[in-house]
Amino acid sequence: MNAIINAQNLARHFGKVEAVRDVSFSVAQGLCVGLLGPNGAGKTTTMRMIMGLTAPTAGQIDVFGAPAATLGRQMRARIGLVPQEDNLDPDLSVSENLTIYGRYFGLEKGYLARRVPELLEFMRLGDKYNARVMMLSGGMKRRLVIARALIANPDLIILDEPTTGLDPQARLLIWQQLTALKKQGKTLLLTTHYMDEAQRLCDHIVIVDAGKVLAEGSPKALIARHVPPHVFELPKPVSRKILALNHPHEDLGDSIIFFTETPAAVINALDVGTPYLHRPANLEDVFLTLTGRSLREK
Amino acid sequence: MPQTTPLARPTFFNSVCAIWWRNFKVWRVQFWPAITSNIFQPLLYLFSFGFGLGAVFAQMGETHYLAYVLPGIVANAAFFTASFEASISAFSRFYLQKTYSAILAAPVKLVEVLLAEALWSASKATLSALAVLGVGLSLGAIPHVQMVLPVLLFTFLCCFVFACFGLMVMAYAHGFEFFSYFFTFWVTPAFLFCGVFFEVSRFPEWVQTVAWFIPMTHMIHIVRPLLLAPETLTLMTILLYTAYIISFGAISFLLAHRRLSRRLFDK
């Protein structure tokens, strides 16, 4: 397997704060890998280390087979970054934003003249060619940031929360286009707080918390390994018969969710007429089981 | 989407040009406000002091006051524009718009960003100086016309240095309020004490010491004789003052780079 990114026992301290304590993972070529974790888990710091923007205090991070910090310009040009904040040039037009960004890569004019309209079409911004960036909606800006990251046709695309704050239509389009990029053989690394997004896009998932890797694997494997396959959500109060089944459960406030291997047993134990919701276990269940349900703000 | 592998040539030269070009494009969008502050403002100074004070002094030694004050206004226009662009404007790119973070995600190094910022500020500031020189020429207030081009080249060097100092201040700033120190203790004293309107030697000694710390004083003491009486200028003076100006810029640039690399790369 050809690893595009290889992190070994990565650590990064900021003074006394340990943002990343011990993170190891690798990203194989052509896969989409999701880096998931609560706010402050160390995701952005890890991505900055991959980009060579922050040096690790300990451990090793290789990109394209060479240490990230010493990656040459030609190799750096093969990475496209979609940062968390929209750092576009607000005074410039949509197309100028892309053309000027292309010049930072030393791309020639002829190539950019073809590439810019192509990318705007790809991100459904074709009719915004001459629009000023400050006139765009949040979803359009986000799509433009993604288009910008693709300007030099990178082999590795790093996306830090690509769809945060977007409406469902915009998210759907971004998902479609990221899937299209994967089909072209691009390697993707993304962070997200949307578990449905991770489950849909990622071949492999790394869950981090407090700077450490808690679990990794394909979405299916993670679900199979960490939570029972069936989930029931029942309103409170829950009957004694259900509690007597002794299934693992979580209190959500006005309702309780039960995890079970045997859905029939739960359905049989329900009083007639009790409303309930039965669904397959998903990545969000895994995430909350591993990282806990309480808020993380300190 | 078609798959064409582009020919990316990320080089030192290409990066610096690309960032300069980026600033130029934004400047073109904001052409009229930029022109107003960078060209018309120095001209207001020139008319106000040239004719206003000129009516009071009439002569500065042998020279007509307008001719005397013109090189000072040239230097101050250059100084002000370069200082403003490299401090507040650069800070808003770095801090508000996160332009530096965007650029550094491309194969560009911080030293290239800062170099391009200084070159851009110097270009814009030289344009301000050129406007004042142009008006000076049309008013016949420049006795040695053949010196305009050398003055312009030397002005570009000085502007680059003033910009480096602005970048250094910007690198240490954590909010826009910080620049009130910069304007109160740097930009305004330069305007008042570096010899724009009269000789620095008229001030008490300690004020002169302060004035000779600010490299605009050295600039004026080269530009004014060049335009008024080049024969009074010795090579030694030119070399010595230029050396001071360049050293000042080099130290500022290194400090700016050191401070910003800590802030941007968590060093």
Side-chain angles (χ1 to χ4, degrees):
Chain A
M1 208 165 57
N2 202 355
I4 297 287
I5 301 173
N6 196 12
Q8 286 297 324
N9 307 107
L10 212 51
R12 171 69 211 203
H13 305 177
F14 296 104
K16 283 183 180 169
V17 181
E18 294 178 283
V20 175
R21 288 163 203 261
D22 184 10
V23 166
S24 301
F25 66 93
S26 74
V27 177
Q29 195 194 333
L31 291 191
C32 175
V33 173
L35 201 57
L36 310 183
N39 285 330
K43 302 184 300 289
T44 299
T45 306
T46 303
M47 289 196 154
R48 283 176 59 79
M49 287 194 278
I50 294 167
M51 290 296 296
L53 296 173
T54 290
T57 8
Q60 173 87 12
I61 175 98
D62 289 344
V63 181
F64 299 121
T70 60
L71 213 59
R73 280 179 203 269
Q74 212 64 47
M75 288 293 178
R76 278 288 303 276
R78 293 173 58 196
I79 310 176
L81 177 74
V82 177
Q84 216 174 85
E85 76 262 1
D86 290 338
N87 50 21
L88 295 161
D89 271 320
D91 301 302
L92 297 178
S93 76
V94 165
S95 60
E96 283 171 330
N97 260 276
L98 296 186
T99 308
I100 285 175
Y101 207 72
R103 286 181 149 228
Y104 301 150
F105 288 78
L107 294 167
E108 46 191 40
K109 270 186 194 160
Y111 168 82
L112 287 171
R114 292 190 307 274
R115 181 71 171 169
V116 168
E118 196 175 282
L119 278 174
L120 291 179
E121 216 42 65
F122 182 68
M123 277 294 153
R124 304 285 183 275
L125 289 167
D127 56 336
K128 297 288 171 193
Y129 192 87
N130 288 319
R132 286 254 221 131
V133 162
M134 56 174 87
M135 309 307 276
L136 299 185
S137 71
M140 289 179 192
K141 279 186 192 158
R142 209 66 199 131
R143 273 142 60 198
L144 185 57
V145 173
I146 296 176
R148 192 182 67 176
L150 301 176
I151 193 76
N153 198 11
D155 299 313
L156 169 63
I157 304 154
I158 298 179
L159 306 110
D160 200 353
E161 298 187 20
T163 66
T164 296
L166 300 191
D167 63 32
Q169 288 84 355
R171 292 179 69 201
L172 204 59
L173 174 71
I174 289 178
W175 290 345
Q176 282 166 356
Q177 302 314 71
L178 292 183
T179 309
L181 288 170
K182 217 169 74 174
K183 283 207 184 105
Q184 290 172 12
K186 308 285 184 201
T187 307
L188 274 68
L189 177 70
L190 88 133
T191 71
T192 178
H193 288 303
Y194 302 115
M195 295 302 134
D196 54 335
E197 177 167 296
Q199 194 164 349
R200 184 187 280 245
L201 292 176
C202 298
D203 307 293
H204 189 88
I205 279 169
V206 181
I207 298 181
V208 289
D209 193 14
K212 285 184 174 179
V213 175
L214 295 183
E216 61 173 315
S218 71
K220 269 188 183 166
L222 282 174
I223 295 165
R225 203 183 316 150
H226 294 281
V227 286
H230 294 274
V231 181
F232 283 86
E233 186 169 343
L234 306 174
K236 277 182 178 177
V238 175
S239 72
R240 286 222 184 99
K241 274 196 284 181
I242 296 281
L243 291 172
L245 292 172
N246 229 357
H247 286 314
H249 61 274
E250 297 264 7
D251 196 329
L252 295 188
D254 55 357
S255 63
I256 295 186
I257 59 172
F258 289 87
F259 293 95
T260 179
E261 308 274 349
T262 50
V266 177
I267 292 169
N268 287 336
L270 283 171
D271 295 330
V272 181
T274 310
Y276 69 92
L277 178 77
H278 175 197
R279 62 168 173 82
N282 59 30
L283 201 57
E284 187 139 356
D285 298 315
V286 176
F287 186 82
L288 291 174
T289 304
L290 291 172
T291 62
R293 284 184 184 271
S294 53
L295 272 180
R296 293 314 185 87
E297 279 117 34
K298 281 163 205 163
Chain B
M1 194 169 41
Q3 287 294 292
T4 40
T5 310
L7 194 59
R9 281 211 190 84
T11 60
F12 181 87
F13 182 75
N14 282 344
S15 300
V16 172
C17 290
I19 299 164
W20 190 95
W21 182 250
R22 180 245 165 238
N23 287 342
F24 176 73
K25 291 287 253 189
V26 174
W27 178 76
R28 275 211 334 209
V29 174
Q30 303 161 341
F31 185 73
W32 288 109
I35 286 293
T36 304
S37 72
N38 296 323
I39 291 188
F40 291 114
Q41 195 169 317
L43 295 182
L44 290 180
Y45 283 132
L46 181 69
F47 291 128
S48 162
F49 291 101
F51 293 109
L53 274 185
V56 181
F57 297 150
Q59 293 289 119
M60 194 62 138
E62 301 282 293
T63 324
H64 188 276
Y65 187 71
L66 182 65
Y68 177 86
V69 83
L70 185 105
I73 301 286
V74 168
N76 190 65
F79 180 84
F80 184 85
T81 306
S83 298
F84 194 96
E85 181 67 22
S87 63
I88 289 194
S89 303
F91 185 70
S92 78
R93 293 192 273 275
F94 157 59
Y95 192 75
L96 279 189
Q97 301 185 7
K98 314 274 180 203
T99 308
Y100 292 3
S101 303
I103 295 173
L104 291 168
V108 175
K109 298 195 165 97
L110 179 61
V111 66
E112 294 150 12
V113 175
L114 289 177
L115 191 60
E117 286 281 67
L119 284 172
W120 165 250
S121 307
S123 312
K124 208 172 152 177
T126 305
L127 191 65
S128 300
L130 179 65
V132 181
L133 283 168
V135 173
L137 279 174
S138 66
L139 294 174
I142 299 175
H144 292 270
V145 175
Q146 78 281 12
M147 284 299 161
V148 167
L149 193 63
V151 161
L152 214 55
L153 292 174
F154 180 68
T155 297
F156 187 82
L157 170 77
C158 295
C159 291
F160 183 84
V161 168
F162 303 149
C164 288
F165 187 79
L167 288 173
M168 195 266 285
V169 172
M170 179 280 279
Y172 281 88
H174 278 274
F176 284 95
E177 305 75 25
F178 187 79
F179 294 103
S180 62
Y181 299 122
F182 178 64
F183 281 89
T184 309
F185 298 117
W186 184 256
V187 177
T188 307
F191 177 62
L192 297 172
F193 303 118
C194 291
V196 173
F197 304 110
F198 43 80
E199 291 303 312
V200 174
S201 57
R202 288 182 185 238
F203 288 113
E205 209 148 301
W206 69 272
V207 179
Q208 291 187 40
T209 311
V210 172
W212 283 100
F213 174 72
I214 305 174
M216 188 169 110
T217 307
H218 304 76
M219 179 188 176
I220 291 177
H221 282 80
I222 289 181
V223 171
R224 181 167 285 144
L226 274 181
L227 293 178
L228 299 183
E231 66 283 357
T232 60
L233 201 61
T234 65
L235 185 66
M236 199 57 201
T237 310
I238 296 179
L239 289 179
L240 217 62
Y241 288 178
T242 307
Y244 179 80
I245 290 169
I246 291 175
S247 321
F248 197 91
I251 293 169
S252 304
F253 189 88
L254 289 176
L255 287 173
H257 184 269
R258 196 176 72 162
R259 182 75 193 138
L260 266 194
S261 75
R262 283 189 187 158
R263 290 179 75 173
L264 286 160
F265 307 127
D266 316 310
K267 279 184 181 160

